[in-house]
Each structure stands twice: as C-alpha cells, then as structure tokens.
Amino acid sequence: QVQLVESGGGSVQAGGSLRLSCTVSGLTYRSGCMGWFRQAPGKEREGVAAVYTDGGDPYYADSVKGRFTISQDNAKNTVYLQMNNLEPEDTAMYYCRTDAAPTTLVCMSWVYERPNDFGTWGQGTQVTVSS
C-alpha cells in the first residue's frame, strides 16, 4: 500500500521561506508523477508543482513560478517543495500526491487542469503566510 507522509508546514511572514517534504513508501509502479497541490479555505484544490519520476522538467502553476521549486531524492524516496518569497495568497493546506503515469504529460495535467482524486494523497500540511 502506497503511503505519503508530509512535513515542513508552518507559519511565516510574507517574504519568508519553507520547505515541504513528502516521504513515499510502498510504491508499486516504476514510472509516475509526484506533485504538490494546495487548497485554501473556500477555494478549489489546485495543482502547484509536479515532476515525472523518470526525469524531465518539472511543471509549475503560474502563480508560483520563480518562487517554488520541486525536487526529488530517489535515494530517500522523498519529494520536496522549496517555497521562497512566500505571499499571503500562498496560505493553504498543501498535499502531496503520487500516481503511476505512462508519460510526463500526465504530470503537466496535474498543474494545468482541474485535479481529480486518482492516485495516493498525503494527509496535508498547513502553510500560513502573514502579511
């Protein structure tokens, strides 16, 4: 059974930084997507960043480009989201997600399309940015 455990959330002032971590266990697929999503109160869940496990360029939502960086450490089975220059609009519950995927185009859809519930999701970690 695939499990995701997130950590690293917290409260920071605008302009600050946080790094989220997501440790994966029980993976059964060889190739897939790893991604981060967020949901603010009263808003729909949205894709923030995604990357294909076999490599290739990551994908980012326009709202976080240049500020957030997704990376993966395969040796540690962990994916990270480095968040710099945080803004109050980044306040949300952040979720890690993984799913098998045949191509990197699936990962791109996570960022640019309305997300579905497929795959495995973590329990979420809260990020709060104050002005």
Side-chain angles (χ1 to χ4, degrees):
Q1 183 179 358
V2 181
Q3 291 187 322
L4 306 176
V5 179
E6 299 124 329
S7 62
S11 298
V12 296
Q13 291 189 330
S17 298
L18 285 172
R19 188 177 79 158
L20 307 183
S21 300
C22 174
T23 301
V24 185
S25 62
L27 277 180
T28 57
Y29 62 79
R30 182 178 179 85
S31 301
C33 299
M34 295 292 304
W36 287 94
F37 294 75
R38 67 186 182 186
Q39 188 167 19
K43 294 187 177 181
E44 291 189 350
R45 186 172 50 187
E46 62 176 353
V48 174
V51 65
Y52 196 48
T53 57
D54 283 0
D57 292 335
Y59 302 99
Y60 297 98
D62 290 342
S63 59
V64 306
K65 280 181 181 177
R67 301 187 298 121
F68 290 12
T69 303
I70 187 171
S71 61
Q72 48 186 349
D73 185 335
N74 292 332
K76 296 182 179 180
N77 292 325
T78 300
V79 62
Y80 302 97
L81 185 68
Q82 178 66 44
M83 305 184 295
N84 297 328
N85 194 20
L86 283 161
E87 304 170 351
E89 293 73 22
D90 296 317
T91 295
M93 185 71 78
Y94 283 71
Y95 298 91
C96 181
R97 176 190 183 190
T98 186
D99 199 7
T103 75
T104 185
L105 294 178
V106 176
C107 312
M108 183 175 68
S109 72
W110 284 14
V111 173
Y112 292 114
E113 297 178 6
R114 187 175 182 178
N116 53 47
D117 292 330
F118 297 148
T120 303
W121 296 75
Q123 81 285 357
T125 185
Q126 178 68 37
V127 171
T128 302
V129 184
S130 59
S131 57

